[in-house]
Amino acid sequence: MLAPTAHAADEFEYVAMGDSAAAGPLTPNPDPNLLCFRSKENYPRVAARLIGAKLTDVSCSGAKIEDFSGRQHGVMAPQYAALSDRTDLVTVTIGGNDVSLVRAAVSCVNLLPDPLGTSCADEFTAGGGDELAERIDALVPRFDDALAQIRHRAPNAEIVVVGYGTYLRPGGCYPKELVWARDADYIQSSVDKLSAMLGERAAAHGAQFVDLGPVSEGHDVCAAPAEKYYEGLVPTSVAAPLHPNAKGMQVFGRTVAAAVQHIRS
């Protein structure tokens, strides 16, 4: 178990950027800024407490890469604005909204068992292609630019890209979660492709990558309520559907903290 690190005289400044996978929508202890549905118990907050960092959390539900430089909801400051040459650590989780993964997952819901409906996997791969894989590939230059911008704006910071986790086990768990087996496998494989791309590009830019896939295996939306780190279409704890719950955020925060302890030593 990691113990909180005492604050040094020169504060260790940590900026958390990203989307709802970082923000933690609807999980307990919400941030007063209700536009971003950000929780004070999300993984950045957990990690910051463990490493003794001063956190500026600009993660925001619904964020896309364009919101790093633009004003999300028309009023939020660009996420890049939180960065400076005093920043010691940046974590970033982004890309899910850029490729519309949650919307894709919701499109896979089938009230009736296979084959009495339409397979989303069949639709996304019609004609021999793979629409979600193509979206992920198309995201590469924009993510590369985002990492370059973070490096430019926070030249002294360690950059840590945090991936997405294991939302669905092999074969899913129909009808507990109303997604057919092949569709569950397709959606999770797409999540894995996105995380793999994030990890590859992080390495190319000299950034660290934290893979949440292994630590969340067995704790997907199909798990028992006491064991799951992600909520399903109908949540069993206070969290947004298809998002990390409080237990998951605790584990993910500890995982991130363990990965960055070397920076503080």
Side-chain angles (χ1 to χ4, degrees):
M1 178 71 73
L2 289 165
T5 306
H7 282 273
D10 182 19
E11 285 187 307
F12 185 82
E13 299 196 16
Y14 166 20
V15 174
M17 303 173 63
D19 58 23
S20 56
L26 304 186
T27 50
N29 201 3
D31 188 289
N33 177 3
L34 298 178
L35 283 175
C36 284
F37 289 98
R38 188 164 51 222
S39 170
K40 292 183 180 178
E41 299 302 324
N42 59 15
Y43 85 68
R45 303 290 180 119
V46 174
R49 287 195 291 265
L50 288 170
I51 64 175
K54 177 186 176 183
L55 174 66
T56 301
D57 186 359
V58 292
S59 64
C60 194
S61 297
K64 298 180 180 180
I65 289 175
E66 65 189 31
D67 297 308
F68 287 179
S69 57
R71 288 189 172 275
Q72 191 173 349
H73 306 303
V75 295
M76 301 300 301
Q79 293 194 26
Y80 285 144
L83 302 172
S84 74
D85 58 6
R86 298 184 306 277
T87 306
D88 298 296
L89 170 66
V90 180
T91 60
V92 56
T93 300
I94 200 71
N97 295 314
D98 294 88
V99 299
S100 299
L101 271 180
V102 170
R103 185 179 301 173
V106 171
S107 76
C108 296
V109 171
N110 272 294
L111 299 179
L112 297 174
D114 192 1
L116 302 175
T118 302
S119 164
C120 67
D122 289 351
E123 292 189 338
F124 281 119
T125 59
D130 185 336
E131 185 176 341
L132 294 187
E134 290 165 6
R135 292 180 194 173
I136 292 165
D137 288 343
L139 187 61
V140 169
R142 284 190 285 146
F143 186 59
D144 279 345
D145 181 65
L147 290 177
Q149 286 289 334
I150 292 169
R151 180 73 68 196
H152 174 69
R153 294 164 185 266
N156 301 312
E158 176 89 3
I159 301 170
V160 178
V161 177
V162 181
Y164 296 88
T166 303
Y167 291 78
L168 288 156
R169 61 189 57 187
C173 52
Y174 194 93
K176 182 177 181 180
E177 293 292 332
L178 295 172
V179 178
W180 294 347
R182 68 180 186 272
D183 293 342
D185 291 345
Y186 173 73
I187 288 297
Q188 185 58 50
S189 72
S190 299
V191 174
D192 294 342
K193 284 186 179 98
L194 176 58
S195 284
M197 182 275 283
L198 297 176
E200 289 166 3
R201 302 321 302 158
H205 286 262
Q208 188 174 353
F209 180 66
V210 174
D211 187 1
L212 297 183
V215 299
S216 52
E217 284 182 4
H219 301 280
D220 54 86
V221 301
C222 297
E227 298 296 324
K228 65 174 63 173
Y229 296 165
Y230 292 99
E231 293 301 325
L233 293 164
V234 179
T236 56
S237 70
V238 182
L242 306 178
H243 283 78
N245 58 26
K247 183 185 293 289
M249 284 299 193
Q250 285 290 323
V251 172
F252 302 156
R254 291 198 296 270
T255 302
V256 171
V260 302
Q261 275 291 322
H262 67 281
I263 308 172
R264 298 289 277 138
S265 59

